[in-house]
Amino acid sequence: MNERLRTAMLRHGVALEDLAKICGVEPKTVERWINTGRVPHRRHRWAAAKLLVADETYLWPDVLRHSDTRKSAANRSELLEIYADRASVPRELWLRLLSATQERIDVLVFSGTFYAQTQPKIARMLTEAAQRGVTVRLCFGDPGSQAVEIRDREEGLGGTLAAKIRSSLTYYRPLTDLDGCEVRLHSTTLYASLFRYDDEILINPHAYGEPASANATFHFRRLDGGTVADHYMTSFDRVWAGAVPWSGAEI
């Protein structure tokens, strides 16, 4: 028996017939909800919860358990592929994502040198994307920041990371005056390099002491009910909000 539903009805003076009318079902159906613990259809749960001034997950706790199960399944379904290292991501995938994107491209890296090397015509391709209406946001490490200095030391780069960033930025200088495209410099600890193309995102987490290229890369596609892709897309927005616009000037 669903004691929560029965008690809520008694407290609010709602009879079987009253609830059945509000939900658009037969009184016998409401009786089964109470006596057998059957979980009604979503629209009926919402109507009943509104009438009884209660949360549907209070009246039917199984809804919450089933929701968690669906969320877990959606999260697993968001993962399309795992690559042992970033170098294993096929060049064709990078090109397909860049060419097919219709709404948004977000890139978060320190230097991202490989990004231009993998796609030699990167500036032209990003320009074409912006011209077809894609919003392009590129976020690189500030070469003068403490975060870059620390990462350089942790990876044993011998003071070259700042120079790599400056070199990488030369590819994107033509984009700084382009409508729909913006380049910023961040000073945050970079836990993962992120490459977002509409609802797809490549996540390259960093392991201490290892270059980004040697670390695994995960390919996710955002799905309704999933949370992983959104989690990292939101992370990009946080970094972007605190980053400083770069006009193309020498730094």
Side-chain angles (χ1 to χ4, degrees):
M1 179 175 288
N2 188 332
E3 290 290 355
R4 292 185 178 183
L5 177 59
R6 186 180 69 86
T7 301
M9 291 173 64
L10 289 173
R11 286 177 177 173
H12 289 85
V14 175
L16 284 173
E17 293 76 13
D18 299 329
L19 186 56
K21 183 177 181 180
I22 289 294
C23 294
V25 298
E26 295 295 324
K28 287 279 187 183
T29 300
V30 175
E31 192 173 358
R32 284 193 291 270
W33 295 349
I34 298 171
N35 295 332
T36 70
R38 178 178 296 180
V39 177
H41 188 277
R42 179 170 55 187
R43 69 175 182 273
H44 298 152
R45 296 197 306 267
W46 289 351
K50 183 177 180 180
L51 178 65
L52 299 173
V53 194
D55 191 285
E56 65 163 324
T57 58
Y58 171 78
L59 297 174
W60 293 282
D62 280 346
V63 170
L64 189 59
R65 286 192 286 273
H66 294 161
S67 176
D68 288 342
T69 300
R70 288 195 299 270
K71 183 183 293 184
S72 177
N75 287 337
R76 291 193 299 272
S77 296
E78 284 191 320
L79 179 61
L80 300 179
E81 188 60 84
I82 301 174
Y83 300 96
D85 51 65
R86 194 183 61 203
S88 297
V89 179
R91 180 171 181 268
E92 292 73 19
L93 176 59
W94 293 109
L95 295 175
R96 192 268 295 172
L97 291 170
L98 185 56
S99 301
T101 300
Q102 297 298 315
E103 296 180 359
R104 180 177 299 281
I105 295 173
D106 292 334
V107 175
L108 174 62
V109 292
F110 265 144
S111 68
T113 306
F114 87 97
Y115 195 62
Q117 293 173 342
T118 306
Q119 304 156 116
K121 299 177 181 178
I122 186 64
R124 191 186 75 184
M125 295 179 75
L126 289 171
T127 297
E128 291 172 351
Q131 289 174 343
R132 66 174 182 264
V134 176
T135 298
V136 179
R137 299 188 295 177
L138 309 176
C139 201
F140 297 87
D142 182 342
S145 68
Q146 186 179 30
V148 168
E149 180 185 348
I150 292 173
R151 181 57 57 86
D152 185 283
R153 184 170 62 250
E154 290 175 346
E155 293 186 9
L157 299 178
T160 62
L161 181 54
K164 288 174 65 178
I165 295 172
R166 293 187 178 97
S167 175
S168 184
L169 286 171
T170 62
Y171 290 100
Y172 308 98
R173 187 171 282 119
L175 304 178
T176 55
D177 295 325
L178 185 66
D179 289 342
C181 182
E182 187 175 357
V183 182
R184 293 188 184 183
L185 304 178
H186 70 89
S187 302
T188 61
T189 301
L190 190 61
Y191 297 105
S193 298
L194 305 177
F195 309 89
R196 177 190 178 179
Y197 305 86
D198 289 344
D199 285 336
E200 296 184 53
I201 185 168
L202 290 166
I203 302 166
N204 178 209
H206 295 193
Y208 181 84
E210 294 287 347
S213 60
N215 297 324
T217 299
F218 302 84
H219 184 190
F220 286 89
R221 179 183 290 125
R222 182 167 59 183
L223 298 175
D224 289 342
T227 62
V228 178
D230 262 334
H231 179 75
Y232 282 94
M233 291 174 182
T234 301
S235 174
F236 176 93
D237 289 334
R238 290 195 202 101
V239 177
W240 183 257
V244 178
W246 180 62
S247 63
E250 294 294 334
I251 53 175

